[in-house]
Amino acid sequence: MKLLRFGPAGHEKPGVLDANGVIRDLSGVIDDISGEVLHPGSLARLRDVRPETLPTAPAGARIGPCVGRIGKIICIGLNYSDHAKESNMAIPEEPIIFMKPTSSLCGPFDQVEIPRNSQKTDWEVELGVVIGKTAKYVDEAQAMNHVAGYCVVNDVSERAFQLERGGQWDKGKGHDTFAPIGPWLVTADEIKDPQDLDMWLEVDGHRYQNGNTRTMIFGVATLVAYLSQFMTLQPGDVICTGTPPGVGLGQKPPKYLVAGQTMKLGIAGLGEQQQITVDAVVPR
């Protein structure tokens, strides 16, 4: 299944993509794509729903983040061997973990803000792993039983804030709109091998990132098991698994985003995103 959420920000409804690519409204069946809805048993019951019997979403409806009420966004740094090389950083011996705040979430086609005083806002296409079943002290052999599905994530980053301002990486990763996810949550049964997915990203039509999840240092099963040793993974949590080479920081010379540019990105089988960059504004 390809599950999604549509409607105005903060008021999204759950939906499912039918065989013809039409968005169908699931709000008469479930209240959101979140929490226990993502449990394997709940997903099995959803598969029994015939999409063609559901009402269609309004034409042109906004697509929101594909998971609602996310508890935490856990990110893995330098998890592609070829990206670590382009960053002139050593390959990690254990996964590098940082977090994005849930306030950074936005839809896959929403605008992305360039923070105040930013000089080095960067892009990162990533495979997102959505937890469907509580995981605490799970081993690698059982880890995939806790995965509900996968999605595209753009781990937008401000490199100066991340690397030059002291402390941990979070301050360069947490600005509003720095975590577009979606368009769909593709359930795990539809992805034969999450360690063999092509992924790409373009800025203003120029292809910067061309990679594949096979070059991950720590694969999905390893990450789920590893993280569960340090924190309980709960249904709806999202793991951002790292990015392949081609980020702005790795260009020679480096290239960074400014307002008015268009990012387009995607992962095989998981759909595409597109965002226009804008200067950050203070809400009134």
Side-chain angles (χ1 to χ4, degrees):
M1 290 183 294
K2 293 181 173 67
L3 302 172
L4 67 146
R5 300 168 70 248
F6 65 92
H11 301 280
E12 293 92 347
K13 292 183 177 181
V16 62
L17 208 65
D18 72 16
N20 297 313
V22 176
I23 298 173
R24 299 286 182 159
D25 187 344
L26 274 172
S27 60
V29 181
I30 55 174
D31 69 337
D32 205 352
I33 309 295
S34 64
E36 289 304 310
V37 168
L38 300 170
H39 188 276
S42 299
L43 291 178
R45 288 189 290 274
L46 266 186
R47 290 188 189 96
D48 292 334
V49 176
R50 294 168 54 198
E52 65 272 16
T53 66
L54 301 171
T56 59
R62 168 187 173 270
I63 306 298
C66 59
V67 183
R69 299 196 286 270
I70 293 173
K72 50 188 176 287
I73 308 167
I74 312 155
C75 304
I76 311 299
L78 295 177
N79 194 34
Y80 282 68
S81 55
D82 34 10
H83 173 53
K85 182 178 179 180
E86 77 167 349
S87 301
N88 295 315
M89 296 182 180
I91 290 177
E93 295 183 6
E94 293 191 42
I96 295 171
I97 301 171
F98 63 93
M99 311 284 274
K100 278 182 176 280
T102 55
S103 56
S104 67
L105 285 164
C106 69
F109 306 105
D110 291 346
Q111 294 177 333
V112 163
E113 293 187 352
I114 305 296
R116 280 187 176 180
N117 304 313
S118 169
Q119 299 296 320
K120 298 181 179 180
T121 298
D122 204 347
W123 56 82
E124 295 188 19
V125 59
E126 304 203 4
L127 173 67
V129 177
V130 181
I131 298 298
K133 180 181 176 184
T134 299
K136 183 175 183 178
Y137 298 124
V138 302
D139 59 34
E140 196 165 324
Q142 299 298 318
M144 300 304 281
N145 295 332
H146 297 263
V147 174
Y150 305 95
C151 61
V152 182
V153 180
N154 189 354
D155 175 19
V156 186
S157 310
E158 212 298 341
R159 301 302 188 188
F161 299 174
Q162 175 190 356
L163 302 172
E164 302 169 21
R165 299 286 296 272
Q168 300 182 358
W169 288 5
D170 300 57
K171 67 180 79 168
K173 297 285 190 171
H175 193 273
D176 294 353
T177 73
F178 268 25
I181 73 167
W184 315 312
L185 163 58
V186 181
T187 52
D189 59 296
E190 292 201 4
I191 302 300
K192 183 181 296 186
D193 184 1
Q195 302 307 151
D196 189 18
L197 299 175
D198 290 329
M199 52 205 308
W200 55 273
L201 183 144
E202 298 175 351
V203 179
D204 291 341
H206 179 84
R207 180 72 58 96
Y208 284 99
Q209 291 190 273
N210 252 329
N212 187 287
T213 55
R214 73 171 69 95
T215 67
M216 277 188 190
I217 299 164
F218 306 104
V220 173
T222 300
L223 291 174
V224 172
Y226 182 86
L227 291 170
S228 79
Q229 309 306 306
F230 301 97
M231 64 190 80
T232 299
L233 303 177
Q234 298 166 317
D237 286 349
V238 177
I239 305 169
C240 303
T241 57
T243 197
V247 299
L249 176 67
Q251 304 303 308
K252 300 186 186 306
K255 295 182 181 294
Y256 297 110
L257 296 164
V258 296
Q261 294 187 288
T262 300
M263 290 182 283
K264 190 172 183 180
L265 57 147
I267 299 178
L270 302 182
E272 298 181 0
Q273 299 186 358
Q274 181 169 303
Q275 299 105 26
I276 295 174
T277 56
V278 296
D279 288 322
V281 296
V282 178
R284 294 183 179 180

